[in-house]
Amino acid sequence: MTITTTSTGNWHTAIGTGAGTFRGVPFDVKGEQSQNGGRHTAKREFPLRENGGADDLGKRLREYSFNAIIVGTDYLTRRDALINALDAPGPGELVHPNYGTLQIQVDTWSCKEDTGSGGSAEFSVTFLPPLTTTAPISTADAAAKTQTAADTARGGLFGDFADGWDISKLSLHDVQALIDGATVYVNQITASIQQYFGVLDDLSDIMASASALQGALGSLVYEPAQLAHQFDMLIGSVKGINDTAGQAFNAYQGMNNKMLFSSNTAGVVTTQDATGSTTPSTATRPSTAQGLAASAQLSAMVMQNVTLYQTGSASDVMSESLRLSGNSRRERSAELVASATTDSSALGISSQDDAKALTEQLADQLDAATVASSSIGWSRTEDRFRRLRLIFIADMTSRAKLLPGVQTVTVTTTEPALVMLNRLRGDVSDWNAFTLRNNISNPVFLMAGNTYGVLNSDNG
């Protein structure tokens, strides 16, 4: 906003009668009017040096001021009216004999009265140009950064695996051991998918792909890039199943848990079926150092890829939880019940504490993957996992602040959940979510002495 006078004549012509208004309240100008401007600068001064300078950081906001006076027998009423106008929020219209008619944002004002003479009030008003831009404020998409970093780490993982994989000199025994190990991983992956998604039409294609992968392992072990790609397609197929983000995350968690049961004991590899039962299966073990090294590389490639998908899935769960927390409690409760299974983790992340726990869990897994990559000599994977870990922690920590906290409540007398919630918050609309969160099988009886977690009231 640049102010020009309303007349090209001399000052007396421009000022006219000296009358003006602000938000329709009249006043007369008196005395000084001024403008202050300049540039924002940053001084560059250094100890024990005789030179330096200043950087130009942009134009300062122009500041204007003028003096006004209210005189007359009714000055008290008009004084108060002008004070109310100056205190009103937002920009207001100023009609000034010299500045013209414009919208201004009041910065400061002062009023003084001479008790000796009486009958007048003098104002000093400082104002600034109002903000007129309507451009949106851009913020970084934290979730997108996590997904991009996970994809970048996956590229490094597959590159390091392909570059370091060499089984050309292994015996048939060791090659068969690698095929057996890869078969176990395929079974563990498909068992997790069946366990957390049940029987769906979409799973038939996934199971067919898994069977085809098992049949091709004899040739794929000699093509590391293709082997990694086929495992990636099988593991990543979970994201294509039309279900909740929480179930996808649980499926990846199940894959990681099942692989922890694998054993390098000669002749024994422990696996899990779709029900979670562990059973030993006959599998050969590499008999040479080279074969064991290849087995470790295969294990790292599969398990670290699962961790990458699980990390991206955790970020998706956070996005879904923030969407639910933005709904009313009644709507959020209905959605949680509709998507819930017998596993309480179907709730995903519903509080800041949940987000913190999940962040720490995945950060530890990413840290372990970083160490494992370093021990194998996968420098690209090590560097990219370390970077992903930092980005993921920043993503989850920043967005967790938007979730409600949890208060701990100890029931002093046996009573229904509805009664406890009504007394605590005066609102029972999300009682279903409360029972799911606390694994309460019978909400009619909350036993005295038991402690429960209750989400803080939010979003109405």
Side-chain angles (χ1 to χ4, degrees):
M1 178 176 70
T2 300
I3 295 178
T4 58
T5 59
T6 58
S7 173
T8 57
N10 59 35
W11 181 84
H12 290 287
T13 301
I15 204 68
T17 62
T21 62
F22 180 63
R23 299 188 196 272
V25 179
F27 60 81
D28 294 311
V29 296
K30 176 184 178 182
E32 299 177 348
Q33 63 183 37
S34 64
Q35 301 182 39
N36 294 308
R39 311 288 297 182
H40 287 286
T41 59
K43 293 182 179 179
R44 304 296 184 185
E45 298 176 318
F46 309 96
L48 304 180
R49 286 174 55 178
E50 299 299 324
N51 58 348
D55 289 335
D56 189 340
L57 303 181
K59 185 180 179 181
R60 288 182 180 274
L61 199 61
R62 188 70 63 86
E63 180 183 281
Y64 302 88
S65 65
F66 66 90
N67 293 333
I69 186 171
I70 293 178
V71 182
T73 56
D74 62 344
Y75 94 94
L76 291 175
T77 302
R78 294 167 54 201
R79 176 204 63 189
D80 292 343
L82 183 56
I83 288 176
N84 291 333
L86 293 170
D87 279 341
E93 184 181 77
L94 171 69
V95 179
H96 191 277
N98 198 28
Y99 292 151
T101 301
L102 64 157
Q103 291 289 314
I104 67 167
Q105 177 61 58
V106 175
D107 185 24
T108 62
W109 62 265
S110 63
C111 175
K112 63 179 181 179
E113 301 174 58
D114 187 345
T115 57
S117 58
S120 67
E122 296 186 20
F123 285 81
S124 178
V125 181
T126 301
F127 67 92
L128 304 167
L131 182 66
T132 57
T133 178
T134 58
I137 300 174
S138 64
T139 57
D141 188 340
K145 284 187 174 182
T146 294
Q147 300 292 352
T148 299
D151 291 340
T152 302
R154 186 173 293 108
L157 172 65
F158 293 164
D160 282 337
F161 174 72
D163 292 345
W165 183 262
D166 183 7
I167 63 171
S168 59
K169 297 180 181 180
L170 292 185
S171 65
L172 292 178
H173 174 277
D174 282 3
V175 172
Q176 185 59 49
L178 294 176
I179 295 174
D180 287 350
T183 301
V184 169
Y185 288 136
V186 173
N187 290 334
Q188 291 168 327
I189 292 168
T190 54
S192 295
I193 295 175
Q194 288 177 314
Q195 179 179 351
Y196 287 96
F197 289 95
V199 180
L200 298 174
D201 292 338
D202 293 341
L203 295 187
S204 59
D205 291 339
I206 295 176
M207 296 302 114
S209 298
S211 298
L213 173 57
Q214 287 182 330
L217 285 174
S219 58
L220 285 175
V221 291
Y222 293 99
E223 300 290 340
Q226 280 298 315
L227 179 63
H229 176 67
Q230 291 300 320
F231 265 104
D232 181 54
M233 289 184 63
L234 178 60
I235 297 169
S237 64
V238 171
K239 296 187 67 175
I241 301 175
N242 185 23
D243 223 300
T244 66
Q247 280 185 295
F249 176 82
N250 291 336
Y252 288 126
Q253 181 67 66
M255 293 179 198
N256 257 320
N257 291 340
K258 285 177 172 56
M259 292 177 188
L260 293 177
F261 283 92
S262 296
S263 170
N264 283 329
T265 304
V268 178
V269 176
T270 305
T271 62
Q272 288 185 343
D273 59 22
T275 65
S277 301
T278 59
T279 56
S281 63
T282 302
T284 55
R285 180 176 184 266
S287 59
T288 64
Q290 293 88 343
L292 291 172
S295 179
Q297 288 178 323
L298 176 63
S299 176
M301 183 272 290
V302 176
M303 293 189 67
Q304 290 186 15
N305 195 20
V306 171
T307 297
L308 289 173
Y309 275 109
Q310 189 179 2
T311 303
S313 183
S315 185
D316 290 339
V317 171
M318 172 65 85
S319 298
E320 180 68 6
S321 297
L322 288 174
R323 184 186 70 80
L324 289 176
S325 69
N327 296 339
S328 70
R329 284 196 298 271
R330 188 181 304 277
E331 292 169 340
R332 180 163 67 251
S333 178
E335 289 195 51
L336 290 175
V337 172
S339 65
T341 68
T342 55
D343 186 348
S344 63
S345 58
L347 281 172
I349 307 171
S350 55
S351 71
Q352 295 178 14
D353 290 345
D354 295 337
K356 180 180 178 181
L358 187 58
T359 301
E360 291 176 350
Q361 173 195 333
L362 266 296
D364 288 344
Q365 288 180 218
L366 292 171
D367 194 38
T370 303
V371 174
S373 300
S374 176
S375 65
I376 298 174
W378 291 350
S379 57
R380 280 180 297 183
T381 306
E382 175 189 2
D383 178 69
R384 293 177 185 183
F385 263 90
R386 183 179 292 109
R387 175 174 172 78
L388 170 61
R389 180 178 180 274
L390 296 175
I391 292 174
F392 173 73
I393 291 174
D395 167 19
M396 299 290 280
T397 302
S398 63
R399 294 198 288 161
K401 297 176 183 178
L402 303 176
L403 291 171
V406 176
Q407 60 182 123
T408 301
V409 177
T410 301
V411 178
T412 58
T413 182
T414 300
E415 61 186 357
L418 292 174
V419 174
M420 188 274 287
L421 290 173
N422 184 65
R423 188 178 64 255
L424 180 67
R425 302 193 332 191
D427 183 1
V428 299
S429 61
D430 60 349
W431 70 271
N432 283 322
F434 166 76
T435 58
L436 287 170
R437 177 179 183 82
N438 291 276
N439 294 320
I440 299 172
S441 57
N442 186 358
V444 176
F445 296 103
L446 300 184
M447 303 305 294
N450 288 352
T451 299
Y452 303 96
V454 181
L455 292 180
N456 291 335
S457 179
D458 67 294
N459 299 90

